[in-house]
Amino acid sequence: MEEQSAAPYFRRARGAELVALFESRFPNSAERTDLRERVIEAYAVYGSNDGVIRGGTKFLADFKDAANRTSVALRLGDAYARTNQTRQEFAVYDLLLAELAKQADSVPLGAFALQAGQAGKQTPAQGGRPAGASAESAAAASMPRSPEYARVLDRYVARLVSLKRTHDALGIYRREIDRNPNDPGLYDVLAAFLEQNKLGADLEQTYQRAIAQFPDHTWEHKLARWYLRQRRAADVSKITQDVVKIFSGTELDGYFKEIVHPAAPVGPALYLQLNVYAHQRFPHHLSFVRNLLGAYSTTATRNDVEYLALLREHWSDADDLRMRFFERLSRTGRLNAELAAVRTANPVTGAQFGPLEDKNPMAVRMLAEGESWRCHFEQAAPMFLVVEGSYPADATVGSRTVAIYRSLGTMETDSRNALPNGPASTDSRNALPNGRASTDSRNALPNGRASADGRVQFTNTAIEVGGKLSDANPRSAQTLTRLGEMEAERERFPEAGKFWNRIPEIESGKADSYLQAAMIFWDYYRYDDALRVIEDARTRLASPSLYTYEAGAILENMREYNRAVREYAKGCDRAARFERRAAAGRVGSPTGITRRD
């Protein structure tokens, strides 16, 4: 038994002698560090603390730049811990922290994401990664710059906490921050430590120091979240008023969405107060406008006068605000009076809206929207055309003008009220003496429904306005789709196809753009055109079996069942090949594979 117990000892001793002999004969060998570490590891496995301490101390003295220096030093620290030599153990950790921080240019942790479950669930100090980042870059973004530094720091702090020396652990964090003041990760881990140990005063001080140290504004978010968790509404108010002064509009919007809400501890009154303050700083940022509208509609802070005043100021800035404004005027019975007041303040002779547009464009917009809300589309249309002429690239105004003229173009002819010749001249901004309106001139339409010629002119006007929108945003497939639809409604399919054929050219390298155009042709029973677009996609994208299901379904609609079966078979073969590749671990992107019942 004694011989068996002694065998590992003699083998370790013999191994150490062989390593020493190797080093004496090959003093410049790169294998020396690995061999020395294996000897120290053997000492640790067999519980020889003295051997680990002796070998580890000599290793650190001999190899200042070894790649495995940290792992050997940690084994040395473990040996000191097992022998209750805490002073020497902590000296090893101090040495490693200094060395690793220097290697990382005094930013050993960086703005890495704390693990979920740490106090506060902190986010990276430098913001999130961009959409589309790879899994590898996402993993790298969540790691500290020096994982070895993070490992040593965690072990150091854990040892001190296990010895009931929490304040000494706090001192280590503060010393490392003083040594590496530009490392946001250190502030993060210190904040988590302080909250876990309920050291609130120190935590607040840490956040305040980080706010002063770093230019990004994530630290204000973190401090405000902590105030919320502590239900310190007054401090939330104070820091919010401070950030309103320094944040940009977009940053402040994100801050309010995360921090400022009417629930406790902020409460409805403080929520209103803070949003009023933010709105005063950024009067054209609609998020704060909507927040205030919500606050003015809440029972605790209801204020109908301020609600309407705010809507009156911003109704033209967004569709949802326009809907709220005219809905409120209509529901309270004030819409007619409002429109009458606008007309009184802005008199128009006949239907001469052009001069009024130059003088007061908002009056024309108000009248146009008001008449549209009252379903007086014939009166609203020329006003919209006047406004559109002043803002030809405005998507909101242009889209509404197109919609109204498109609907007028599909209106049934009423011979009793039709004009003899439909809408008249195309070059004047003002109404003609006989009261007939100009299509391009932005003038009022006469009462009554349009003649057949007038309906054509209305549709032509809608297409003309839509063309301006397409010129302003040539990558808008939606605009091209609507332009083609207006031509198709008049059964002018060659003209409609000119618009729809431009859709694949927007993103000619993407299969979906071809499918979108093919589906539009299919919806209008233009089967040959739909198949042509699919074949064009197959040729351009070098994918002969692209969209086989869709092509087969179109051929079925054409009663060409044999060709449809061949398309389906082609798709089944493609899917089978894809599944074989998946089983072999060579999965690609099977463009055009669709699985539908």
Side-chain angles (χ1 to χ4, degrees):
M1 292 295 294
E2 292 181 358
E3 292 180 359
Q4 291 179 353
S5 301
Y9 171 81
F10 288 111
R11 282 197 290 269
R12 291 196 304 272
R14 185 57 179 167
E17 291 174 1
L18 291 173
V19 171
L21 177 62
F22 177 86
E23 291 188 30
S24 65
R25 293 187 178 182
F26 304 99
N28 297 321
S29 174
E31 302 293 331
R32 295 172 60 208
T33 56
D34 288 338
L35 292 173
R36 190 86 69 86
E37 183 183 12
R38 292 181 185 180
V39 172
I40 296 171
E41 182 180 0
Y43 284 133
V45 169
Y46 287 98
S48 177
N49 294 321
D50 292 339
V52 174
I53 292 173
R54 184 173 59 253
T57 303
K58 191 173 188 307
F59 183 99
L60 295 181
D62 293 344
F63 303 108
K64 301 293 185 181
D65 300 316
N68 55 349
R69 181 178 173 85
T70 300
S71 60
V72 171
L74 290 177
R75 289 191 180 278
L76 177 59
D78 289 341
Y80 281 133
R82 288 192 294 269
T83 56
N84 294 321
Q85 300 182 60
T86 55
R87 183 176 61 82
Q88 292 87 341
E89 176 191 1
F90 297 154
V92 171
Y93 299 150
D94 289 333
L95 174 67
L96 286 177
L97 290 176
E99 291 178 352
L100 294 171
K102 184 178 180 180
Q103 293 172 12
D105 298 325
S106 297
V107 188
L109 295 183
F112 72 98
L114 291 178
Q115 297 297 323
Q118 283 186 316
K121 297 183 181 178
Q122 311 290 4
T123 56
Q126 300 298 330
R129 64 183 183 276
S134 65
E136 291 80 4
S137 63
S142 64
M143 293 293 293
R145 294 186 64 197
S146 174
E148 290 184 331
Y149 179 94
R151 178 184 174 192
V152 173
L153 183 61
D154 286 345
R155 178 176 294 200
Y156 198 173
V157 172
R159 278 286 292 152
L160 289 170
V161 172
S162 69
L163 296 173
K164 310 297 185 183
R165 295 170 58 177
T166 303
H167 287 286
D168 289 339
L170 179 57
I172 296 300
Y173 278 124
R174 287 176 171 166
R175 185 197 68 190
E176 291 303 302
I177 288 177
D178 291 338
R179 182 186 291 168
N180 311 289
N182 295 321
D183 189 344
L186 283 171
Y187 291 85
D188 261 332
V189 294
L190 173 57
F193 174 82
L194 292 171
E195 187 159 10
Q196 288 168 354
N197 291 276
K198 303 187 185 305
L199 300 173
D202 293 308
L203 175 59
E204 184 175 6
Q205 181 182 3
T206 299
Y207 279 137
Q208 295 289 2
R209 182 175 175 180
I211 289 171
Q213 179 69 27
F214 299 104
D216 64 277
H217 299 310
T218 57
W219 300 100
E220 285 89 346
H221 284 252
K222 295 173 182 179
L223 179 56
R225 284 197 298 268
W226 182 73
Y227 283 148
L228 286 176
R229 289 194 297 272
Q230 303 300 314
R231 308 186 74 81
R232 293 168 56 172
D235 291 315
V236 173
S237 175
K238 181 179 181 301
I239 191 174
T240 300
Q241 293 181 25
D242 291 338
V243 303
V244 166
K245 299 175 183 177
I246 60 176
F247 276 25
S248 68
T250 302
E251 290 176 322
L252 190 61
D253 181 27
Y255 175 90
F256 267 62
K257 288 178 179 177
E258 184 177 5
I259 304 299
V260 182
H261 45 79
V266 175
L270 182 56
Y271 176 78
L272 173 62
Q273 175 187 341
L274 294 176
N275 275 285
V276 168
Y277 192 40
H279 177 60
Q280 290 172 349
R281 171 85 195 283
F282 300 102
H284 301 293
H285 203 292
L286 298 185
S287 290
F288 306 124
V289 173
R290 294 184 177 98
N291 289 349
L292 285 174
L293 291 174
Y296 291 141
S297 302
T298 302
T299 302
T301 53
R302 188 177 187 85
N303 191 326
D304 292 337
V305 174
E306 290 294 335
Y307 182 94
L308 187 58
L310 192 63
L311 273 181
R312 191 184 302 279
E313 181 180 357
H314 294 282
W315 68 265
S316 62
D317 295 337
D319 280 342
D320 65 307
L321 300 182
R322 172 181 58 82
M323 295 288 288
R324 289 193 196 189
F325 179 60
F326 285 97
E327 185 276 333
R328 175 59 66 96
L329 291 179
S330 179
R331 181 164 55 85
T332 56
R334 301 174 58 178
L335 178 57
N336 293 343
E338 290 277 345
L339 296 179
V342 173
R343 288 192 177 93
T344 300
N346 302 275
V348 175
T349 302
Q352 298 179 8
F353 293 105
L356 179 58
E357 169 70 13
D358 296 334
K359 180 181 177 181
N360 190 349
M362 284 304 299
V364 180
R365 179 80 186 275
M366 176 72 178
L367 291 173
E369 296 289 0
E371 294 297 349
S372 175
W373 190 268
R374 298 198 301 173
C375 300
H376 296 168
F377 301 114
E378 295 87 345
Q379 287 79 15
M383 302 181 204
F384 274 113
L385 201 58
V386 168
V387 177
E388 184 278 332
S390 298
Y391 306 97
D394 188 287
T396 301
V397 174
S399 296
R400 289 185 57 71
T401 304
V402 168
I404 286 181
Y405 273 89
R406 180 181 179 181
S407 64
L408 290 174
T410 59
M411 193 168 57
E412 292 183 1
T413 303
D414 189 340
S415 59
R416 295 171 299 173
N417 294 322
L419 294 175
N421 298 314
S425 72
T426 60
D427 57 355
S428 170
R429 298 178 63 190
N430 300 319
L432 299 178
N434 61 4
R436 288 177 291 166
S438 160
T439 55
D440 292 342
S441 62
R442 308 180 292 181
N443 294 319
L445 300 177
N447 291 329
R449 298 184 179 180
S451 66
D453 292 339
R455 291 169 57 197
V456 173
Q457 292 293 345
F458 295 146
T459 304
N460 288 343
T461 301
I463 293 174
E464 179 184 348
V465 174
K468 296 179 186 178
L469 295 179
S470 182
D471 292 340
N473 184 13
R475 295 181 60 82
S476 174
Q478 183 180 27
T479 301
L480 292 173
T481 300
R482 289 179 178 174
L483 286 169
E485 287 174 346
M486 285 187 282
E487 292 287 13
E489 287 168 358
R490 301 191 292 183
E491 298 187 3
R492 298 176 58 176
F493 292 105
E495 288 76 9
K498 293 178 182 179
F499 293 112
W500 295 335
N501 285 328
R502 289 164 54 187
I503 294 174
E505 303 301 327
I506 296 175
E507 294 181 297
S508 58
K510 291 187 176 180
D512 286 347
S513 61
Y514 296 90
L515 180 62
Q516 182 178 357
M519 294 300 98
I520 295 172
F521 280 115
W522 189 4
D523 288 341
Y524 283 89
Y525 306 102
R526 315 306 293 178
Y527 301 132
D528 291 335
D529 287 319
L531 291 174
R532 172 183 53 79
V533 172
I534 292 176
E535 287 299 329
D536 188 28
R538 292 174 175 177
T539 302
R540 291 194 181 187
L541 302 178
S543 180
S545 56
L546 184 65
Y547 293 130
T548 53
Y549 171 84
E550 288 78 3
I554 293 171
L555 289 167
E556 280 196 77
N557 291 158
M558 298 172 66
R559 305 290 196 273
E560 297 193 25
Y561 300 115
N562 290 336
R563 291 178 61 191
V565 169
R566 286 196 292 271
E567 287 291 337
Y568 293 141
K570 191 188 304 183
C572 292
D573 180 63
R574 179 180 175 85
R577 283 186 281 112
F578 172 70
E579 289 175 357
R580 287 195 296 270
R581 291 181 62 198
R586 296 180 288 108
V587 179
S589 177
T591 305
I593 291 291
T594 57
R595 294 171 178 263
R596 303 186 188 180
D597 294 330

